[in-house]
Amino acid sequence: GAGVSQTPSNKVTEKGKYVELRCDPISGHTALYWYRQSLGQGPEFLIYFQGTGAADDSGLPNDRFFAVRPEGSVSTLKIQRTERGDSAVYLCASSTGGDSGANVLTFGAGSRLTVL
Amino acid sequence: AQSVTQLGSHVSVSEGALVLLRCNYSSSVPPYLFWYVQYPNQGLQLLLKYTSAATLVKGINGFEAEFKKSETSFHLTKPSAHMSDAAEYFCAVSVWGYQKVTFGTGTKLQVIP
């Protein structure tokens, strides 16, 4: 697609529920990232994929958070047993990948999660 | 691990005045450095990036940044602020061979007419 698409744009859920957030990256981008942005903070790294595999998941805060990218394109961030502290904007970004590390990230508009 | 520190969570300037947003980095290997901007109700977008080619980097909308190794800094400047520059600005860092990009906490720029 033309840009990075994230759905839903807004999600309100109750404490303890399960949530899935979806990211559709730019076609052909091999690297995909998830970040979390709380109010007044910068994007906090969660995980990135190179192709289908999670190359670095060191930012996932605990085992309630999990992400998949089974076919190397669309990714889903899954949050189990949501807590009020999980409320934030979840950002997805993609890039062309490659070895240099200097790739530019293209961000989606984000999914705003509110846990009541 | 690499990191960036942005000094000043809020900066106010008058329209037409110099914009200076500060970023200092920490990295044990040569870094790649970025500035991203987030306009109200929009996603983050790249302003400019440093990849070791030239220390003075020019970006979009008249912004530029200078890489200073001796000061471990990558400050963002614009000679004359415009009302449309009001946004939040994020400095970010990565290193060769490693795709993880680490962001700073951001600086919100207010432009006063």
Side-chain angles (χ1 to χ4, degrees), chain B residues 41-53:
Chain B
N41 301 314
Q42 294 188 29
L44 283 125
Q45 58 185 275
L46 182 75
L47 262 184
L48 50 80
K49 70 176 183 179
Y50 165 76
T51 58
S52 77

Side-chain angles (χ1 to χ4, degrees), chain A residues 31 33 35 37 40-43 45 48 50 56 58 91 95 97-105 107-109, chain B residues 32 34 36 38 42-46 49-51 88 90 94-106:
Chain A
Y33 302 73
Y35 286 84
Q37 188 174 21
Q41 301 296 315
F45 173 80
Y48 92 82
Q50 185 63 42
D56 184 342
S58 62
L91 301 172
S95 79
D99 294 333
S100 74
N103 299 301
V104 173
L105 304 186
F107 281 86
Chain B
Y32 299 126
F34 309 81
Y36 283 80
Q38 189 171 33
Q42 294 188 29
L44 283 125
Q45 58 185 275
L46 182 75
K49 70 176 183 179
Y50 165 76
T51 58
E88 191 155 19
F90 295 93
S94 68
V95 297
W96 189 91
Y98 193 44
Q99 295 287 342
K100 179 179 176 179
V101 181
T102 302
F103 285 80
T105 52

Side-chain angles (χ1 to χ4, degrees), chain A residues 76-114:
Chain A
T76 304
L77 178 66
K78 308 181 181 195
I79 310 174
Q80 298 178 319
R81 305 183 303 280
T82 52
E83 299 178 356
R84 292 194 180 89
D86 298 335
S87 297
V89 177
Y90 289 81
L91 301 172
C92 178
S94 68
S95 79
T96 54
D99 294 333
S100 74
N103 299 301
V104 173
L105 304 186
T106 301
F107 281 86
S111 291
R112 182 178 298 276
L113 175 65
T114 303

